[in-house]
Amino acid sequence: MDFLKSVTQKERQTGLFLLLFTFMLSNYNVYIGFYLKPYMIFLSIFLLFHLSSFSFQKMYSYEIMLILFYLFYVFTGAFSAYPFASIRMMAGIALLIGFYFTLKFVLKKYSNLAIQEAIAKSGLLFNSVSLLLYIAGIKKTGLQMTEEMSVSYGVLFDRDYPRLVGLLQDPNLFVFYNSIFFAYFLTNMTTVRNKIGFTLCILTTVLTFSRGGILAMLLIIMIYIVISNSSERWRTMTTIGVIFIPAAYFAIFIMKIDVGALLVGRIEDFSNDGGSGRFELWGRAWEYFLAHPVMGIGADNFIEYNNVHYGENLYTHNTLLQILTESGLLGFVMYFIFLLLVFVQLLKRRLMKHHTYLLLIFIAFLLQIMSLSLIIHEVFILYLAILSITLQREENVQRKNTPQISNAQLTL
């Protein structure tokens, strides 16, 4: 173990960057009864070498509430029609919580600046590689779809739309993953690197043609402009304007994609496809909830009900509605309290001032879970771990400054 002591600061920073990037590689996994993903391997190896010094970090009220919700959520499976699905979900939740505590232990060893540097570098790499894969897919197919929902490198052909999926499999999930990078670059456009990162985020987000995702990103830009001070507001608006021109030129003239026409087409499709069938799924979920309003139909049971009754192996595509359907009003209230507690922490003055990106990420997540089923997800867990460590650091700074302020007042 002596070699661990000789690791340089640069090597430690590289390790953190690689860890955060492995969270973006969930598509590259091995099924061994569960999906073994790169970040799980990375964290397991780290824990193996640091097991003797492992310690649980301080838990906030929102973390405790989330665990209580998960316990109740899996408990509903005991009364479900399909308990095996609930057991499978319980195993996934237990695994994710275990990795969450390990992740917090790892992040505790790094400063806020180091974590933000790792976010920036992994964001650049994630968006760059995803865009290159998209270009490769476009070049290979020449925009000629071979079959519906076919994937070529980083492009998914969905009803004549060449949608960017990059390193992932789903364009809507791509925007969810990318929300961390989008919000960070948006609030830190003081360097050329971050401006390039934000440009890439805008380009990849638009090329997903995800209606909900694009709307969510537009809203967090507007929110940031409203809550930022006048100098930041004008700098952001000017930078976005300057970025839009090369991004549009690249997509339209180099990639030969009529982005405007495709986006208009996607919006017009909304009235015809019922939100890609989501409205119909939401109606079914509501009916199941009305039949089981208190404790729901059981953890992870909607997909089973939907498959039996309608022959479709689909989730609700709405996290809050899925929670309401599967764990009833009791589970929904617990999850709502969890979200409220997170929001209260994010409104703390120091966090708002020094880490605005954390608030914007949370808002982006809230907007997107309205059209995605993400009761458990590694990127959301990554975000919560970063939030928890950042809160601890800010509280430590505040505690150090408080005695100085009190002493200064006594001497007046």
Side-chain angles (χ1 to χ4, degrees):
M1 299 275 182
D2 291 339
F3 76 94
L4 291 173
K5 300 178 181 178
S6 62
V7 175
T8 66
Q9 183 65 27
K10 184 176 180 180
E11 290 170 335
R12 291 182 71 251
Q13 183 64 32
T14 301
L16 180 60
F17 151 65
L18 291 175
L19 170 60
L20 265 60
F21 185 67
T22 58
F23 275 83
M24 306 298 122
L25 300 176
S26 295
N27 187 33
Y28 304 91
N29 53 66
V30 179
Y31 186 75
I32 55 172
F34 64 92
Y35 289 102
L36 181 64
K37 300 179 180 181
Y39 80 88
M40 295 179 178
I41 299 173
F42 199 107
L43 286 175
S44 297
I45 293 173
F46 184 93
L47 182 61
L48 180 65
F49 285 112
H50 294 82
L51 194 57
S52 60
S53 62
F54 178 81
S55 62
F56 288 97
Q57 308 304 310
K58 174 183 176 180
M59 290 186 67
Y60 288 89
S61 56
Y62 71 85
E63 295 173 297
I64 296 171
M65 181 53 67
L66 180 61
I67 291 176
L68 289 175
F69 160 72
Y70 278 147
L71 290 173
F72 177 78
Y73 179 68
V74 297
F75 173 72
T76 62
F79 309 97
S80 67
Y82 304 96
F84 182 75
S86 299
I87 293 173
R88 189 171 58 235
M89 175 62 79
M90 180 175 64
I93 288 173
L95 197 65
L96 205 61
I97 290 176
F99 282 115
Y100 176 69
F101 287 120
T102 306
L103 179 60
K104 284 183 64 175
F105 173 66
V106 174
L107 293 180
K108 183 71 173 180
K109 298 179 177 296
Y110 295 89
S111 67
N112 287 340
L113 181 60
I115 293 172
Q116 291 175 23
E117 279 293 301
I119 289 173
K121 291 176 182 178
S122 54
L124 281 171
L125 184 58
F126 175 65
N127 281 276
S128 298
V129 173
S130 293
L131 189 58
L132 288 173
L133 288 172
Y134 182 76
I135 294 171
I138 293 294
K139 293 295 183 182
K140 179 182 177 181
T141 60
L143 286 178
Q144 298 299 314
M145 174 179 62
T146 55
E147 60 179 297
E148 182 68 9
M149 301 303 290
S150 61
V151 177
S152 177
Y153 294 109
V155 59
L156 166 72
F157 289 97
D158 177 10
R159 290 166 293 180
D160 298 327
Y161 296 101
R163 306 181 66 184
L164 182 143
V165 293
L167 288 166
L168 305 174
Q169 289 181 317
D170 186 295
N172 300 309
L173 276 178
F174 182 92
V175 182
F176 186 82
Y177 277 77
N178 211 23
S179 297
I180 292 179
F181 309 128
F182 194 103
Y184 176 77
F185 288 132
L186 171 64
T187 56
N188 292 276
M189 286 194 289
T190 54
T191 65
V192 174
R193 180 197 66 182
N194 289 353
K195 289 175 182 177
I196 293 173
F198 187 64
T199 304
L200 289 171
C201 284
I202 287 183
L203 189 55
T204 53
T205 298
V206 171
L207 290 176
T208 62
F209 299 103
S210 169
R211 293 169 295 206
I214 293 172
L215 178 61
M217 296 306 105
L218 287 174
L219 286 174
I220 69 167
I221 290 174
M222 293 172 62
I223 291 170
Y224 179 62
I225 290 174
V226 170
I227 66 176
S228 58
N229 59 49
S230 57
S231 60
E232 289 177 336
R233 185 179 300 121
W234 284 110
R235 182 173 66 243
T236 301
M237 293 173 67
T238 302
T239 304
I240 290 174
V242 171
I243 285 172
F244 179 78
I245 296 173
Y249 179 84
F250 176 82
I252 296 171
F253 296 102
I254 296 180
M255 295 294 296
K256 307 296 182 183
I257 301 174
D258 191 347
V259 177
L262 288 171
L263 286 174
V264 170
R266 285 288 290 166
I267 295 171
E268 290 175 347
D269 285 346
F270 191 77
S271 60
N272 300 322
D273 63 10
S276 298
R278 286 181 173 85
F279 296 161
E280 189 174 352
L281 289 169
W282 296 348
R284 297 171 189 172
W286 183 252
E287 289 177 2
Y288 295 146
F289 160 68
L290 292 178
H292 305 81
V294 180
M295 294 185 62
I297 61 176
D300 204 34
N301 264 226
F302 175 83
I303 193 170
E304 304 292 342
Y305 273 70
N306 193 41
N307 192 25
V308 170
H309 295 156
Y310 298 98
E312 293 181 349
N313 197 37
L314 298 172
Y315 285 101
T316 58
H317 287 282
N318 185 312
T319 301
L320 297 181
L321 187 55
Q322 183 173 342
I323 289 170
L324 184 65
T325 302
E326 295 181 343
S327 59
L329 283 171
L330 293 176
F332 181 82
V333 169
M334 294 175 73
Y335 194 77
F336 181 80
I337 293 173
F338 153 69
L339 294 177
L340 185 62
L341 290 172
V342 174
F343 193 65
V344 168
Q345 292 287 355
L346 288 167
L347 291 181
K348 289 185 175 180
R349 191 167 65 87
R350 284 190 60 84
L351 208 69
M352 281 280 290
K353 182 178 179 181
H354 300 291
H355 308 281
T356 313
Y357 77 101
L358 292 173
L359 173 63
L360 297 181
I361 293 170
F362 185 65
I363 294 173
F365 282 173
L366 286 181
L367 292 169
Q368 291 176 84
I369 64 175
M370 299 301 180
S371 58
L372 296 170
S373 292
L374 299 171
I375 294 177
I376 58 172
H377 197 275
E378 57 266 11
V379 171
F380 191 49
I381 292 299
L382 170 63
Y383 165 75
L384 292 177
I386 293 173
L387 173 60
S388 181
I389 296 301
T390 305
L391 281 169
Q392 289 182 44
R393 300 260 167 72
E394 291 302 325
E395 287 179 355
N396 291 338
V397 171
Q398 194 169 7
R399 274 195 292 269
K400 290 178 181 178
N401 293 335
T402 301
Q404 297 175 2
I405 295 172
S406 301
N407 293 334
Q409 290 175 340
L410 290 171
T411 57
L412 291 177

